[in-house]
Amino acid sequence: MARPSQREQILVEASRLFSKKGYHATTIREIAQNRGILSGSLYAHISSKEDLLFEIVDDGADAFLSAITAVSQSDRSPIEKLRMALCAHIQVIAQRMDATTVFFHEWEALSEERRHLIQTKRDEYEAHWNAILQEGIDDGSMCITDPKFVRLMLLSVANWLYHWYRPSGPLSPDEIAERFIQILVNGIEDTAKERDHRA
Amino acid sequence: MARPSQREQILVEASRLFSKKGYHATTIREIAQNRGILSGSLYAHISSKEDLLFEIVDDGADAFLSAITAVSQSDRSPIEKLRMALCAHIQVIAQRMDATTVFFHEWEALSEERRHLIQTKRDEYEAHWNAILQEGIDDGSMCITDPKFVRLMLLSVANWLYHWYRPSGPLSPDEIAERFIQILVNGIEDTAKERDHRA
DNA sequence: CCTACCGATCGGTAGG
DNA sequence: CCTACCGATCGGTAGG
């Protein structure tokens, strides 16, 4: 594992500060100071404060997207895909708390053009979820009527993690996903089928 | 209905701007300009920008608290209380989108003392939820093991509303609550009982 | 509620 | 990566 470049370390520090204090409340001087340099010297590595924000947010969007793409392409059953997608989503948040907090909290601070770029990736991400849920409707394994609404619920529960998850907490990301599924999927999956499985 | 005072209209405008752009990105000059006065004149009505934020966030906390207190004190069944509490929570968000967005998004920008004050009200609010769920466990109407985790899920789904709810959308607040309950409560409520109800 | 202003701090740059 | 600095803008105030 190559030792991280100064540029990468600046991104990590910016993520930490943006997530803790917010983008606008964080100054370029703080980021520089915590990296042991002066604010002017930052500009040897970045070209603007907003570039820093964009790189963090865009990385976050890519992390979510690549996680669900892998799940989508697998040949599991819809219910199993839903389980895996939820696990993957939670893993992305848990493993990159700072970056995903910035992703959810500060993406609206981007310029309009860049906001649209991120919006496109969000749309793509949600389309993957819709497709998984639609598969479940089509093969009868999920008794839901409105996949978009259910997707919204699933992602609401999963996204809110960034408000409360702590690596030092009692539950691992997988255990959290397991509990979500215990309550949510058993409510979503056709109860007749569910009873057969249990019998 | 008395016509709103300038002070009240300043609060409304501040809520709107804080929710749209964030607390730090909103300037005192913008708030003043949108009220038709100069920035210096604002200080005849408020004493600081942070006071403005605190009043918005504290009002939000009180709105949530008084809604659930009413539900807690009713003599309905635990399941019915849960239903009512979720409806009430969603109503608070839907009816005060700007203020609740600021409540969720910007409360960490407050001074430490005031943040603790809000945290205390949040704790109190969550205790009401825990109590309702515990009642449901005690009388056997809810088959859950960890009320705090279930409360977290319920509030995650409900809170995320501030990201996507629009008054002009196809679903009313009550219809949204109904759909949440359709999926969540049917997953939480003991399925044996649920089947009996349906039969 | 306005005029007129303040000290502080912001993101960013030129030149080395 | 530092020195030295810039124009702009910030929240807020004194005096009327």
Side-chain angles (χ1 to χ4, degrees):
Chain A
M1 198 159 69
R3 103 168 179 286
S5 69
Q6 173 69 298
R7 189 187 154 73
E8 284 163 345
Q9 291 181 277
I10 289 168
L11 275 164
V12 168
E13 185 58 29
S15 296
R16 206 179 65 78
L17 287 169
F18 290 170
S19 73
K20 192 176 136 203
K21 315 182 40 169
Y23 172 69
H24 286 103
T26 300
T27 68
I28 223 72
R29 281 166 176 79
E30 283 177 285
I31 299 170
Q33 193 171 38
N34 289 359
R35 289 300 321 136
I37 59 178
L38 292 182
S39 67
S41 309
L42 263 189
Y43 291 85
H45 302 98
I46 64 165
S47 57
S48 75
K49 189 186 176 190
E50 207 218 271
D51 278 7
L52 221 41
L53 176 61
F54 177 67
E55 199 160 326
I56 294 165
V57 171
D58 194 48
D59 277 359
D62 287 341
F64 283 116
L65 255 181
S66 70
I68 200 155
T69 303
V71 172
S72 270
Q73 289 168 349
S74 77
D75 59 353
R76 305 302 187 84
S77 72
I79 288 277
E80 193 55 32
K81 278 187 186 174
L82 187 151
R83 213 178 281 268
M84 290 163 67
L86 198 61
C87 265
H89 188 95
I90 289 171
Q91 287 283 359
V92 170
I93 294 176
Q95 281 164 14
R96 319 164 58 121
M97 278 289 283
D98 288 343
T100 50
T101 298
V102 176
F103 176 76
F104 288 124
H105 236 88
E106 307 292 342
W107 76 291
E108 292 178 40
L110 289 169
S111 69
E112 199 188 327
E113 193 192 350
R114 287 173 154 177
R115 223 167 43 235
H116 275 103
L117 222 144
I118 300 300
Q119 183 64 57
T120 302
K121 293 193 179 180
R122 289 184 89 123
D123 291 345
E124 198 184 331
Y125 184 72
E126 292 175 357
H128 278 287
W129 276 94
N130 290 348
I132 290 173
L133 293 170
Q134 190 60 51
E135 274 184 57
I137 294 175
D138 292 345
D139 79 354
S141 62
M142 298 181 195
C143 62
I144 54 182
T145 50
D146 186 345
K148 286 181 188 169
F149 192 84
V150 173
R151 183 252 299 156
L152 203 56
M153 275 188 65
L154 288 163
L155 293 185
S156 296
V157 170
N159 287 345
W160 201 256
L161 262 176
Y162 86 83
H163 281 288
W164 61 271
Y165 176 76
R166 296 290 172 270
S168 57
L171 296 176
S172 73
D174 280 346
E175 287 167 337
I176 291 168
E178 183 57 37
R179 294 215 181 185
F180 283 166
I181 286 160
Q182 167 73 18
I183 294 168
L184 274 169
V185 175
N186 287 357
I188 290 165
E189 198 174 21
D190 190 312
T191 34
K193 280 196 173 245
E194 185 61 14
R195 281 201 298 278
D196 291 346
H197 280 292
R198 282 192 190 146
Chain B
M1 199 157 72
R3 102 169 181 285
S5 68
Q6 173 70 295
R7 190 187 153 73
E8 284 163 346
Q9 290 182 278
I10 289 168
L11 275 163
V12 168
E13 185 57 29
S15 296
R16 206 180 64 78
L17 288 169
F18 289 171
S19 73
K20 192 176 136 200
K21 314 179 44 169
Y23 172 69
H24 287 103
T26 300
T27 68
I28 223 73
R29 280 166 177 79
E30 282 176 285
I31 299 170
Q33 193 171 38
N34 289 358
R35 289 300 321 135
I37 58 178
L38 292 182
S39 67
S41 310
L42 263 189
Y43 291 86
H45 302 98
I46 64 163
S47 57
S48 77
K49 189 187 177 189
E50 208 218 271
D51 277 8
L52 222 42
L53 176 61
F54 178 67
E55 198 159 327
I56 294 164
V57 171
D58 195 48
D59 277 0
D62 287 341
F64 283 116
L65 256 181
S66 69
I68 200 155
T69 302
V71 171
S72 272
Q73 288 169 349
S74 77
D75 59 352
R76 305 302 188 83
S77 72
I79 289 277
E80 193 55 31
K81 278 187 187 175
L82 188 151
R83 213 178 281 268
M84 289 164 67
L86 198 63
C87 265
H89 187 97
I90 289 171
Q91 287 283 0
V92 170
I93 294 176
Q95 280 164 14
R96 319 163 58 121
M97 279 290 282
D98 289 341
T100 51
T101 298
V102 176
F103 176 76
F104 289 125
H105 236 87
E106 306 292 343
W107 75 292
E108 293 179 39
L110 290 169
S111 68
E112 200 188 328
E113 192 192 349
R114 287 173 154 177
R115 223 168 42 235
H116 276 102
L117 222 144
I118 299 300
Q119 183 64 57
T120 302
K121 294 192 179 182
R122 289 184 90 124
D123 291 346
E124 198 183 331
Y125 184 72
E126 292 175 358
H128 277 287
W129 275 94
N130 289 348
I132 291 172
L133 294 170
Q134 190 59 51
E135 274 183 57
I137 294 174
D138 292 344
D139 79 353
S141 61
M142 298 181 195
C143 62
I144 53 182
T145 50
D146 185 345
K148 286 180 189 172
F149 192 83
V150 173
R151 182 253 299 156
L152 203 56
M153 276 188 65
L154 288 163
L155 293 185
S156 296
V157 170
N159 287 344
W160 200 255
L161 263 175
Y162 86 83
H163 281 287
W164 62 271
Y165 176 76
R166 294 291 169 270
S168 58
L171 296 175
S172 72
D174 281 346
E175 286 168 339
I176 291 167
E178 183 57 37
R179 293 217 182 183
F180 282 168
I181 285 160
Q182 167 74 19
I183 294 167
L184 274 169
V185 175
N186 288 356
I188 290 167
E189 199 173 21
D190 189 312
T191 33
K193 279 190 174 248
E194 184 63 14
R195 280 202 298 278
D196 292 345
H197 279 293
R198 281 189 190 150

